[in-house]
Amino acid sequence: MIGVLGAGAWGTALAQVAAADGREVRLWARELEVVASINEAHENHLFLPGVPLAPSIRASDDLAWVAEADPLLVVTPSQHMRSVLSGLDARQRQLILCCKGIEAGTMQLMHEVAHETCPSATIAVLSGPTFAHEVAKGLPTAITLACADAGIGRKLAALIARPAFRPYLATDVVGAEIGGAVKNVLAIACGVVEGRGLGQNARASMISRGFAEMTRFGLARGAHAETLAGLSGLGDLVLTCSSTSSRNFSLGVGLGQGRAAADLLADRRTVAEGAFTAPVLRAAAAAAGVDMPIAQAVCALLEGEATAEQMIDALLARPLRAEW
Ligand SMILES: NC(=O)C1=CN([C@@H]2O[C@H](COP(=O)(O)OP(=O)(O)OC[C@H]3O[C@@H](n4cnc5c(N)ncnc54)[C@H](O)[C@@H]3O)[C@@H](O)[C@H]2O)C=CC1
Ligand SMILES: O=C(CO)COP(=O)(O)O
């Protein structure tokens, strides 16, 4: 039996993948309306409307009941992962972390937070170019499954692989997490390019120079270059920087059109992780002595320290330098 913690769009889509072979899946939802919607209508009206869900997915707001399952896919927003995992009992279990971010305050990656909150758990990371609505419809998707213990990684990959859902194995947990966290911030920058109508050349440049930043930061934190160039890094960067299906890209489009971050973020029920990751990434990059001008510019824009026009002008005015 597989458990899923978090019934947003991605947790629901992953529950659907896990249930594709008729397996029982327990899904923890925070909202009672989501529990009722999944159990009664077999649909998540709030976070993944329009996708019929497998009847073997059963939802509950009872964390202990869901946590009887093993492994547990952890699919909460990054900033709430600690509080949700803190509610688990201390038994030994396998956690597959699926959220993309860095914790504010501690500057910890998700596996570091999970190690602190669940010291006896085995930890893997699942991350890649995976829009939830496409995965839920069964469209072909490849993803990185990273686990420091390659044997456990292989077993978990076999457990969640489906004909159209293909995990690739890695042991570089740090690289898989940094790719997923940093690309969200870069997607906001690409959205700004789109919102200001600056063209495809500018967006491709932003993706390439953003990838250079992701690589510099990742290597400084111990990631492997190959992981950053793979599905969880470059793959997800390209996806998220190219589509209004991305919440982060769409946030950037709004910022590029001159709207204020506070207005764009107010009252939204879905999560644009890049808005939370940007300030902690700026601090983490400074602490690691890594230059991340695009991430810094996104942060300045979100915090109202610069307009979108000033952000782009400042990036274009940087001194000429070697590409690598
Ligand atoms: N939507 C997607 O296509 C993908 C999302 N992800 C990642 O999955 C994670 C979850 O995102 P989505 O499923 O898209 O969420 P969502 O944006 O669809 O829904 C918001 C989620 O946040 C939860 N939430 C709100 N306040 C909370 C709190 N105080 N404590 C715990 N949970 C709270 C809600 O219950 C809901 O599950 C994020 O880290 C995201 O980056 C990863 C890959 C794809
Ligand atoms: O992580 C994602 C796709 O891999 C989803 O991106 P957004 O959170 O920007 O919608």
Side-chain angles (χ1 to χ4, degrees), residues 13 40 52-53 73 103 149 157 167 189 261 285 291 295 312:
E40 288 159 25
L53 299 174
L73 294 155
E103 191 179 57
D149 182 323
D291 192 22
I312 298 294

PDB file of all heavy atoms in Angstrom, residues 13 40 52-53 73 103 149 157 167 189 261 285 291 295 312:
ATOM      1  N   ALA A  13      -2.080  13.682  -8.589  1.00  0.00           N
ATOM      2  CA  ALA A  13      -1.599  13.030  -9.823  1.00  0.00           C
ATOM      3  C   ALA A  13      -0.722  11.825  -9.477  1.00  0.00           C
ATOM      4  O   ALA A  13      -0.824  10.771 -10.115  1.00  0.00           O
ATOM      5  CB  ALA A  13      -0.815  14.035 -10.674  1.00  0.00           C
ATOM      6  N   GLU A  40     -16.090  10.724  -2.638  1.00  0.00           N
ATOM      7  CA  GLU A  40     -17.467  10.614  -3.132  1.00  0.00           C
ATOM      8  C   GLU A  40     -17.558  10.755  -4.646  1.00  0.00           C
ATOM      9  O   GLU A  40     -18.302  10.037  -5.299  1.00  0.00           O
ATOM     10  CB  GLU A  40     -18.351  11.671  -2.446  1.00  0.00           C
ATOM     11  CG  GLU A  40     -18.596  11.323  -0.985  1.00  0.00           C
ATOM     12  CD  GLU A  40     -19.004  12.513  -0.134  1.00  0.00           C
ATOM     13  OE1 GLU A  40     -19.555  13.490  -0.694  1.00  0.00           O
ATOM     14  OE2 GLU A  40     -18.743  12.470   1.094  1.00  0.00           O
ATOM     15  N   PRO A  52     -10.836  12.194 -13.794  1.00  0.00           N
ATOM     16  CA  PRO A  52     -11.450  11.111 -13.018  1.00  0.00           C
ATOM     17  C   PRO A  52     -10.376  10.291 -12.322  1.00  0.00           C
ATOM     18  O   PRO A  52      -9.404   9.874 -12.952  1.00  0.00           O
ATOM     19  CB  PRO A  52     -12.174  10.265 -14.081  1.00  0.00           C
ATOM     20  CG  PRO A  52     -12.042  10.995 -15.377  1.00  0.00           C
ATOM     21  CD  PRO A  52     -10.958  12.014 -15.244  1.00  0.00           C
ATOM     22  N   LEU A  53     -10.547  10.061 -11.035  1.00  0.00           N
ATOM     23  CA  LEU A  53      -9.517   9.355 -10.256  1.00  0.00           C
ATOM     24  C   LEU A  53      -9.906   7.898 -10.016  1.00  0.00           C
ATOM     25  O   LEU A  53     -11.093   7.565  -9.942  1.00  0.00           O
ATOM     26  CB  LEU A  53      -9.318  10.066  -8.902  1.00  0.00           C
ATOM     27  CG  LEU A  53      -8.851  11.521  -8.990  1.00  0.00           C
ATOM     28  CD1 LEU A  53      -8.821  12.159  -7.601  1.00  0.00           C
ATOM     29  CD2 LEU A  53      -7.469  11.621  -9.644  1.00  0.00           C
ATOM     30  N   LEU A  73       4.750   9.025  -0.205  1.00  0.00           N
ATOM     31  CA  LEU A  73       5.167  10.112  -1.091  1.00  0.00           C
ATOM     32  C   LEU A  73       4.820  11.426  -0.392  1.00  0.00           C
ATOM     33  O   LEU A  73       3.670  11.612   0.024  1.00  0.00           O
ATOM     34  CB  LEU A  73       4.431  10.008  -2.430  1.00  0.00           C
ATOM     35  CG  LEU A  73       4.771   8.775  -3.274  1.00  0.00           C
ATOM     36  CD1 LEU A  73       3.635   8.431  -4.223  1.00  0.00           C
ATOM     37  CD2 LEU A  73       6.030   9.024  -4.063  1.00  0.00           C
ATOM     38  N   GLU A 103      13.889  25.312   2.575  1.00  0.00           N
ATOM     39  CA  GLU A 103      13.137  25.817   3.720  1.00  0.00           C
ATOM     40  C   GLU A 103      13.630  27.202   4.140  1.00  0.00           C
ATOM     41  O   GLU A 103      14.840  27.409   4.341  1.00  0.00           O
ATOM     42  CB  GLU A 103      13.247  24.851   4.901  1.00  0.00           C
ATOM     43  CG  GLU A 103      12.265  25.200   6.021  1.00  0.00           C
ATOM     44  CD  GLU A 103      12.344  24.231   7.194  1.00  0.00           C
ATOM     45  OE1 GLU A 103      13.441  24.065   7.770  1.00  0.00           O
ATOM     46  OE2 GLU A 103      11.305  23.647   7.539  1.00  0.00           O
ATOM     47  N   ASP A 149      21.048   5.271  -1.298  1.00  0.00           N
ATOM     48  CA  ASP A 149      21.199   3.817  -1.336  1.00  0.00           C
ATOM     49  C   ASP A 149      20.632   3.323  -2.677  1.00  0.00           C
ATOM     50  O   ASP A 149      19.409   3.265  -2.865  1.00  0.00           O
ATOM     51  CB  ASP A 149      20.438   3.201  -0.154  1.00  0.00           C
ATOM     52  CG  ASP A 149      20.591   1.691  -0.082  1.00  0.00           C
ATOM     53  OD1 ASP A 149      20.619   1.036  -1.145  1.00  0.00           O
ATOM     54  OD2 ASP A 149      20.679   1.173   1.047  1.00  0.00           O
ATOM     55  N   ALA A 157      11.859   2.669  -7.466  1.00  0.00           N
ATOM     56  CA  ALA A 157      11.577   2.988  -8.877  1.00  0.00           C
ATOM     57  C   ALA A 157      10.671   1.916  -9.475  1.00  0.00           C
ATOM     58  O   ALA A 157       9.700   2.224 -10.180  1.00  0.00           O
ATOM     59  CB  ALA A 157      12.879   3.099  -9.661  1.00  0.00           C
ATOM     60  N   PRO A 167      10.737   6.369 -14.123  1.00  0.00           N
ATOM     61  CA  PRO A 167      11.783   6.954 -13.281  1.00  0.00           C
ATOM     62  C   PRO A 167      13.181   6.549 -13.746  1.00  0.00           C
ATOM     63  O   PRO A 167      13.403   5.394 -14.113  1.00  0.00           O
ATOM     64  CB  PRO A 167      11.510   6.354 -11.889  1.00  0.00           C
ATOM     65  CG  PRO A 167      10.358   5.446 -12.015  1.00  0.00           C
ATOM     66  CD  PRO A 167      10.039   5.266 -13.456  1.00  0.00           C
ATOM     67  N   ALA A 189      11.676  34.338 -13.698  1.00  0.00           N
ATOM     68  CA  ALA A 189      12.433  35.259 -14.567  1.00  0.00           C
ATOM     69  C   ALA A 189      12.003  35.115 -16.026  1.00  0.00           C
ATOM     70  O   ALA A 189      11.818  36.111 -16.734  1.00  0.00           O
ATOM     71  CB  ALA A 189      13.931  34.990 -14.418  1.00  0.00           C
ATOM     72  N   ALA A 261       3.732  41.740  -6.731  1.00  0.00           N
ATOM     73  CA  ALA A 261       3.808  40.355  -6.251  1.00  0.00           C
ATOM     74  C   ALA A 261       2.717  40.092  -5.216  1.00  0.00           C
ATOM     75  O   ALA A 261       2.061  39.037  -5.240  1.00  0.00           O
ATOM     76  CB  ALA A 261       5.184  40.087  -5.662  1.00  0.00           C
ATOM     77  N   ALA A 285      22.910  31.429  -1.594  1.00  0.00           N
ATOM     78  CA  ALA A 285      23.959  31.684  -2.598  1.00  0.00           C
ATOM     79  C   ALA A 285      25.017  32.612  -2.013  1.00  0.00           C
ATOM     80  O   ALA A 285      26.231  32.384  -2.181  1.00  0.00           O
ATOM     81  CB  ALA A 285      23.341  32.287  -3.858  1.00  0.00           C
ATOM     82  N   ASP A 291      27.683  33.510  -7.268  1.00  0.00           N
ATOM     83  CA  ASP A 291      27.022  34.612  -7.955  1.00  0.00           C
ATOM     84  C   ASP A 291      25.778  34.088  -8.674  1.00  0.00           C
ATOM     85  O   ASP A 291      25.878  33.209  -9.533  1.00  0.00           O
ATOM     86  CB  ASP A 291      28.036  35.188  -8.975  1.00  0.00           C
ATOM     87  CG  ASP A 291      27.557  36.513  -9.543  1.00  0.00           C
ATOM     88  OD1 ASP A 291      26.718  37.174  -8.886  1.00  0.00           O
ATOM     89  OD2 ASP A 291      28.028  36.891 -10.637  1.00  0.00           O
ATOM     90  N   ALA A 295      18.654  34.938 -10.093  1.00  0.00           N
ATOM     91  CA  ALA A 295      17.904  34.633  -8.866  1.00  0.00           C
ATOM     92  C   ALA A 295      17.817  35.871  -7.972  1.00  0.00           C
ATOM     93  O   ALA A 295      16.761  36.159  -7.384  1.00  0.00           O
ATOM     94  CB  ALA A 295      18.557  33.468  -8.128  1.00  0.00           C
ATOM     95  N   ILE A 312      15.343  43.830 -15.726  1.00  0.00           N
ATOM     96  CA  ILE A 312      15.905  43.436 -17.031  1.00  0.00           C
ATOM     97  C   ILE A 312      17.072  44.358 -17.397  1.00  0.00           C
ATOM     98  O   ILE A 312      18.140  43.895 -17.842  1.00  0.00           O
ATOM     99  CB  ILE A 312      14.802  43.478 -18.117  1.00  0.00           C
ATOM    100  CG1 ILE A 312      13.680  42.477 -17.786  1.00  0.00           C
ATOM    101  CG2 ILE A 312      15.404  43.205 -19.497  1.00  0.00           C
ATOM    102  CD1 ILE A 312      14.067  41.010 -17.830  1.00  0.00           C
TER     103      ILE A 312
END
